[in-house]
Protein backbone atom coordinates (compact mmCIF):
# COMPACT_ATOMS: atom_id res chain seq x y z
CA UNK A 1 0.00 0.00 0.00
CA UNK A 2 1.18 3.54 -0.76
CA UNK A 3 0.20 6.16 1.80
CA UNK A 4 0.77 9.87 2.32
CA UNK A 5 0.85 11.21 5.88
CA UNK A 6 0.52 14.94 6.43
CA UNK A 7 1.81 16.21 9.76
CA UNK A 8 5.06 15.23 11.43
CA UNK A 9 4.12 15.64 15.10
CA UNK A 10 4.02 12.73 17.51
CA UNK A 11 0.97 11.19 15.84
CA UNK A 12 2.46 11.51 12.36
CA UNK A 13 5.87 10.27 13.48
CA UNK A 14 4.57 7.05 15.00
CA UNK A 15 2.09 6.50 12.20
CA UNK A 16 4.87 6.72 9.60
CA UNK A 17 7.07 4.48 11.73
CA UNK A 18 4.32 1.85 12.06
CA UNK A 19 3.50 1.90 8.33
CA UNK A 20 7.17 1.55 7.41
CA UNK A 21 7.59 -1.39 9.79
CA UNK A 22 4.64 -3.07 8.06
CA UNK A 23 6.46 -2.63 4.73
CA UNK A 24 4.06 -0.06 3.30
CA UNK A 25 5.37 2.72 1.07
CA UNK A 26 4.86 6.01 2.87
CA UNK A 27 5.65 9.67 2.21
CA UNK A 28 5.49 12.29 4.96
CA UNK A 29 4.63 15.95 4.35
CA UNK A 30 5.60 18.41 7.09
CA UNK A 31 6.07 22.20 7.18
CA UNK A 32 8.80 22.38 9.82
CA UNK A 33 12.26 21.94 8.30
CA UNK A 34 13.88 20.65 11.50
CA UNK A 35 11.15 18.06 11.99
CA UNK A 36 11.55 16.96 8.38
CA UNK A 37 15.29 16.46 8.81
CA UNK A 38 14.84 14.57 12.09
CA UNK A 39 12.24 12.16 10.73
CA UNK A 40 14.09 11.59 7.45
CA UNK A 41 17.23 10.70 9.39
CA UNK A 42 15.61 8.56 12.08
CA UNK A 43 13.04 6.68 9.99
CA UNK A 44 14.73 6.74 6.59
CA UNK A 45 11.52 7.57 4.75
CA UNK A 46 10.68 10.03 1.98
CA UNK A 47 9.90 13.42 3.55
CA UNK A 48 8.68 16.52 1.73
CA UNK A 49 8.99 19.86 3.50
CA UNK A 50 5.93 21.86 2.58
CA UNK A 51 2.27 22.65 3.14
CA UNK A 52 0.06 19.58 2.77
CA UNK A 53 -2.83 21.77 1.64
CA UNK A 54 -0.82 22.97 -1.38
CA UNK A 55 -1.69 21.14 -4.59
CA UNK A 56 1.87 21.30 -5.89
CA UNK A 57 3.25 19.83 -2.67
CA UNK A 58 0.77 16.97 -2.90
CA UNK A 59 1.84 16.38 -6.49
CA UNK A 60 5.49 16.30 -5.38
CA UNK A 61 4.48 13.51 -2.99
CA UNK A 62 3.11 11.55 -5.99
CA UNK A 63 -0.41 11.70 -4.59
CA UNK A 64 -1.74 10.29 -7.87
CA UNK A 65 -0.13 6.99 -6.89
CA UNK A 66 -1.38 7.00 -3.30
CA UNK A 67 -4.14 4.75 -2.01
CA UNK A 68 -4.57 6.48 1.35
CA UNK A 69 -4.06 10.03 2.60
CA UNK A 70 -3.95 10.59 6.37
CA UNK A 71 -4.06 14.19 7.63
CA UNK A 72 -2.86 14.23 11.24
CA UNK A 73 -1.75 17.79 11.89
CA UNK A 74 -2.70 19.52 15.13
CA UNK A 75 -5.31 21.71 13.40
CA UNK A 76 -8.71 20.30 12.50
CA UNK A 77 -9.31 22.84 9.72
CA UNK A 78 -6.06 21.88 8.00
CA UNK A 79 -6.87 18.20 8.20
CA UNK A 80 -10.31 18.80 6.68
CA UNK A 81 -8.92 20.87 3.79
CA UNK A 82 -6.22 18.29 3.04
CA UNK A 83 -8.71 15.41 2.96
CA UNK A 84 -11.14 17.35 0.76
CA UNK A 85 -8.36 18.23 -1.68
CA UNK A 86 -7.28 14.59 -1.82
CA UNK A 87 -10.86 13.53 -2.61
CA UNK A 88 -11.84 16.31 -5.03
CA UNK A 89 -8.57 17.07 -6.82
CA UNK A 90 -7.00 13.62 -6.90
CA UNK A 91 -9.88 11.14 -6.44
CA UNK A 92 -8.28 9.43 -3.45
CA UNK A 93 -10.61 6.67 -2.27
CA UNK A 94 -9.52 6.56 1.37
CA UNK A 95 -8.97 9.70 3.45
CA UNK A 96 -8.36 9.69 7.19
CA UNK A 97 -8.36 12.75 9.42
CA UNK A 98 -7.24 13.35 12.97
CA UNK A 99 -9.81 15.38 14.89
CA UNK A 100 -8.87 17.28 18.03
CA UNK A 101 -12.33 18.68 18.83
CA UNK A 102 -15.02 15.96 19.05
CA UNK A 103 -17.65 18.51 17.99
CA UNK A 104 -16.12 18.54 14.52
CA UNK A 105 -16.67 14.82 13.87
CA UNK A 106 -20.10 15.23 12.25
CA UNK A 107 -18.83 18.06 10.03
CA UNK A 108 -15.91 15.99 8.75
CA UNK A 109 -18.18 13.05 7.96
CA UNK A 110 -20.76 15.27 6.27
CA UNK A 111 -18.06 16.76 4.04
CA UNK A 112 -16.91 13.38 2.82
CA UNK A 113 -13.91 12.42 4.96
CA UNK A 114 -13.90 8.63 4.94
CA UNK A 115 -12.60 7.97 8.46
CA UNK A 116 -11.94 10.15 11.47
CA UNK A 117 -9.93 9.51 14.61
CA UNK A 118 -10.58 11.65 17.66
CA UNK A 119 -8.04 11.08 20.43
CA UNK A 120 -10.23 13.01 22.87
CA UNK A 121 -13.11 10.61 22.30
CA UNK A 122 -10.84 7.57 22.58
CA UNK A 123 -9.53 8.76 25.94
CA UNK A 124 -13.08 9.54 27.09
CA UNK A 125 -14.16 6.02 26.18
CA UNK A 126 -11.21 4.57 28.06
CA UNK A 127 -12.04 6.57 31.19
CA UNK A 128 -15.70 5.63 31.03
CA UNK A 129 -14.71 2.01 30.61
CA UNK A 130 -12.77 2.02 33.88
CA UNK A 131 -16.01 2.74 35.73
CA UNK A 132 -18.15 0.51 33.55
CA UNK A 133 -19.23 -2.85 34.97
CA UNK A 134 -20.41 -4.11 31.57
CA UNK A 135 -18.39 -6.95 30.00
CA UNK A 136 -17.33 -4.86 26.99
CA UNK A 137 -15.51 -1.55 26.94
CA UNK A 138 -15.76 0.52 23.76
CA UNK A 139 -12.32 1.63 22.55
CA UNK A 140 -13.16 3.22 19.19
CA UNK A 141 -15.92 3.54 16.62
CA UNK A 142 -14.82 2.71 13.07
CA UNK A 143 -16.18 3.42 9.60
CA UNK A 144 -18.67 6.07 10.69
CA UNK A 145 -19.97 3.92 13.53
CA UNK A 146 -20.68 0.79 11.51
CA UNK A 147 -17.99 -1.15 13.37
CA UNK A 148 -16.66 -0.96 16.92
CA UNK A 149 -13.37 -1.89 18.55
CA UNK A 150 -14.09 -3.26 22.03
CA UNK A 151 -12.17 -4.77 24.92
CA UNK A 152 -13.48 -7.68 26.98
CA UNK A 153 -12.09 -8.22 30.48
CA UNK A 154 -12.25 -11.86 31.44
CA UNK A 155 -13.11 -12.51 35.10
CA UNK A 156 -13.93 -15.66 37.04
CA UNK A 157 -17.59 -15.45 36.00
CA UNK A 158 -16.96 -15.09 32.29
CA UNK A 159 -18.27 -17.83 29.99
CA UNK A 160 -15.07 -17.45 27.93
CA UNK A 161 -12.81 -18.34 30.87
CA UNK A 162 -10.70 -21.47 30.16
CA UNK A 163 -12.18 -21.88 26.67
CA UNK A 164 -10.11 -21.92 23.50
CA UNK A 165 -10.70 -19.30 20.83
CA UNK A 166 -12.20 -21.89 18.49
CA UNK A 167 -14.76 -22.87 21.16
CA UNK A 168 -16.18 -19.37 21.52
CA UNK A 169 -19.71 -18.77 20.30
CA UNK A 170 -19.38 -15.37 18.64
CA UNK A 171 -21.11 -13.86 15.60
CA UNK A 172 -19.35 -14.36 12.29
CA UNK A 173 -19.20 -10.58 11.92
CA UNK A 174 -16.77 -10.42 14.88
CA UNK A 175 -13.00 -10.92 14.82
CA UNK A 176 -10.74 -11.39 17.84
CA UNK A 177 -7.66 -9.25 17.20
CA UNK A 178 -5.48 -10.08 20.18
CA UNK A 179 -5.35 -11.31 23.76
CA UNK A 180 -3.40 -9.27 26.31
CA UNK A 181 -2.10 -11.30 29.25
CA UNK A 182 0.18 -9.84 31.92
CA UNK A 183 1.26 -7.09 29.53
CA UNK A 184 2.07 -9.48 26.69
CA UNK A 185 0.17 -9.70 23.40
CA UNK A 186 -0.92 -13.19 22.34
CA UNK A 187 -1.98 -13.95 18.78
CA UNK A 188 -5.50 -15.49 19.00
CA UNK A 189 -5.05 -18.80 17.18
CA UNK A 190 -7.90 -21.26 17.51
CA UNK A 191 -6.11 -23.48 20.02
CA UNK A 192 -5.22 -20.62 22.40
CA UNK A 193 -7.08 -20.73 25.73
CA UNK A 194 -8.52 -17.59 27.28
CA UNK A 195 -7.67 -17.17 30.96
CA UNK A 196 -9.03 -15.19 33.89
CA UNK A 197 -7.50 -11.72 33.87
CA UNK A 198 -7.07 -11.63 30.09
CA UNK A 199 -8.11 -8.61 28.04
CA UNK A 200 -9.49 -9.58 24.65
CA UNK A 201 -9.60 -7.02 21.83
CA UNK A 202 -12.45 -7.58 19.38
CA UNK A 203 -13.68 -5.77 16.30
CA UNK A 204 -17.37 -6.24 15.60
CA UNK A 205 -20.25 -4.86 13.60
CA UNK A 206 -21.89 -2.37 15.97
CA UNK A 207 -25.26 -4.11 15.72
CA UNK A 208 -23.63 -7.36 16.93
CA UNK A 209 -22.07 -5.86 20.07
CA UNK A 210 -24.92 -7.09 22.29
CA UNK A 211 -24.48 -10.62 20.92
CA UNK A 212 -20.80 -10.53 21.87
CA UNK A 213 -21.72 -9.39 25.39
CA UNK A 214 -24.18 -12.26 25.74
CA UNK A 215 -21.51 -14.71 24.65
CA UNK A 216 -19.08 -13.39 27.27
CA UNK A 217 -21.54 -13.58 30.17
CA UNK A 218 -23.02 -16.86 28.96
CA UNK A 219 -26.41 -15.50 28.01
Amino acid sequence: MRAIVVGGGKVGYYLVKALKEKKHRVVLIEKNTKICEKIAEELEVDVICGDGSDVEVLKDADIEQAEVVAAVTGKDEENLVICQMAKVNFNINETIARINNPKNTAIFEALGVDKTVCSTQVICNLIEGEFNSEPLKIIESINKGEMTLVEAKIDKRSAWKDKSVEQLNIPKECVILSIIRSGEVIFPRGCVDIKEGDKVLIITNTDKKNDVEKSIIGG
Side-chain angles (χ1 to χ4, degrees), residues 84-102:
Q84 285 191 305
M85 290 182 65
K87 298 287 286 187
V88 175
N89 294 69
F90 301 100
N91 297 314
I92 299 299
N93 290 326
E94 193 72 11
T95 55
I96 302 170
R98 172 190 177 189
I99 297 179
N100 300 282
N101 185 345

Side-chain angles (χ1 to χ4, degrees), residues 189-209:
R189 295 184 175 86
C191 60
V192 172
D193 289 334
I194 295 177
K195 302 294 184 182
E196 182 179 346
D198 285 353
K199 294 180 180 179
V200 183
L201 291 178
I202 308 153
I203 189 166
T204 175
N205 283 6
T206 300
D207 60 2
K208 295 296 181 180
K209 176 177 172 287

Side-chain angles (χ1 to χ4, degrees), residues 6 52-55 58 63 69-71 76-97 106-116:
V6 183
S53 61
D54 186 316
V55 171
L58 292 172
I63 191 172
V69 171
D76 287 4
E77 58 271 22
E78 285 190 14
N79 294 337
L80 176 58
V81 170
I82 291 163
C83 287
Q84 285 191 305
M85 290 182 65
K87 298 287 286 187
V88 175
N89 294 69
F90 301 100
N91 297 314
I92 299 299
N93 290 326
E94 193 72 11
T95 55
I96 302 170
I107 297 173
F108 274 56
E109 293 177 352
L111 293 176
V113 178
D114 297 293
K115 292 184 176 66
T116 58

